[in-house]
Amino acid sequence: GIQVEQSPPDLILQEGANSTLRCNFSDSVNNLQWFHQNPWGQLINLFYIPSGTKQNGRLSATTVATERYSLLYISSSQTTDSGVYFCAVIEYGNKLVFGAGTILRVKS
Amino acid sequence: DAGVTQSPTHLIKTRGQHVTLRCSPISGHKSVSWYQQVLGQGPQFIFQYYEKEERGRGNFPDRFSARQFPNYSSELNVNALLLGDSALYLCASSLEVSGRPEQYFGPGTRLTVT
């Protein structure tokens, strides 16, 4: 099956800093989602981004499907951005395959 | 509009017991999927149901089963619980299985097996 790798595994930022999270996948995909998991375990949808670039406030994402990677940009980070960020690709049907996640800690 | 709801939020069971977890999808969504997330890992796919039919099954033993009801809600059943079944169980719903299959997750049920 498809493999999803995320980097870095851990990231510590000072409030106000910018960051880039990367997601590599092993095979062609038609669909990709980014999630933020808060401390209570809830997975919050950030982007549905099979290709191209999208922006939502301080967050933006870019997927280059032909090169099998996606990037999540966080600008002017805030303490509330802390948590785990997952990318997931949709394998045959509707099955999401998740990466191991990036743990982000934003310090004030 | 209400999001995906799951019940119960927390559950403590003993080895060998049976558990039933429940999920209600977003109104209008016909597909429900179940995922297991153990501590420190990403969620792992267990089942997908669409229009009350099983559309996919992950690499989980037969102790795990699920079903979808006519109102598109779903149950996940786990028999003969093992300590290793302790995890966060997540339910996700989507409008369809093709086209734009974006999935939306519920808050999860945290299962502890002692």
Side-chain angles (χ1 to χ4, degrees):
Chain A
I2 196 166
Q3 305 294 316
V4 180
E5 294 184 355
Q6 292 186 243
S7 60
D10 285 277
L11 188 58
I12 300 174
L13 296 176
Q14 198 65 34
E15 198 169 28
N18 303 327
S19 63
T20 301
L21 281 56
R22 187 177 180 100
C23 173
N24 292 331
F25 38 94
S26 61
D27 205 347
S28 301
V29 297
N30 293 322
N31 299 289
L32 185 144
Q33 290 185 247
W34 281 97
F35 297 93
H36 174 215
Q37 189 165 42
N38 65 23
W40 298 272
Q42 174 89 51
L43 279 170
I44 309 297
N45 288 46
L46 297 178
F47 294 102
Y48 173 83
I49 186 164
S51 63
T53 298
K54 290 186 178 180
Q55 181 154 7
N56 184 4
R58 296 181 295 103
L59 274 59
S60 65
T62 296
T63 296
V64 184
T66 54
E67 297 187 20
R68 302 180 186 173
Y69 74 90
S70 183
L71 302 174
L72 178 69
Y73 306 95
I74 304 174
S75 64
S76 304
S77 59
Q78 301 175 359
T79 55
T80 51
D81 294 332
S82 296
V84 186
Y85 288 81
F86 288 103
C87 76
V89 299
I90 296 178
E91 213 171 36
Y92 42 83
N94 206 12
K95 167 188 174 182
L96 279 175
V97 179
F98 284 79
T102 292
I103 301 173
L104 175 64
R105 298 180 182 89
V106 181
K107 295 185 171 182
S108 58
Chain B
D1 285 343
V4 179
T5 60
Q6 293 186 242
S7 63
T9 55
H10 294 85
L11 203 51
I12 299 175
K13 290 285 189 179
T14 303
R15 275 178 298 176
Q17 286 188 318
H18 163 271
V19 68
T20 297
L21 311 181
R22 294 178 175 83
C23 170
S24 291
I26 292 170
S27 178
H29 284 196
K30 298 180 179 180
S31 176
V32 169
S33 299
W34 288 94
Y35 294 82
Q36 181 197 64
Q37 186 179 20
V38 299
L39 198 62
Q41 298 181 19
Q44 299 290 317
F45 173 77
I46 309 176
F47 285 109
Q48 183 203 22
Y49 278 79
Y50 178 71
E51 289 278 19
K52 302 180 290 295
E53 291 190 2
E54 183 182 301
R55 288 296 191 95
R57 172 186 285 256
N59 189 23
F60 281 80
D62 292 344
R63 299 184 296 107
F64 288 76
S65 64
R67 56 179 175 168
Q68 187 177 33
F69 298 99
N71 66 353
Y72 303 109
S73 67
S74 178
E75 284 183 353
L76 176 69
N77 296 283
V78 187
N79 293 324
L81 285 166
L82 303 174
L83 295 179
D85 295 331
S86 294
L88 179 67
Y89 288 85
L90 295 162
C91 173
S93 77
S94 62
L95 191 59
E96 55 191 41
V97 294
S98 60
R100 187 185 169 98
E102 184 175 5
Q103 296 192 27
Y104 297 85
F105 282 81
T109 293
R110 197 166 297 277
L111 172 66
T112 302
V113 182
T114 61

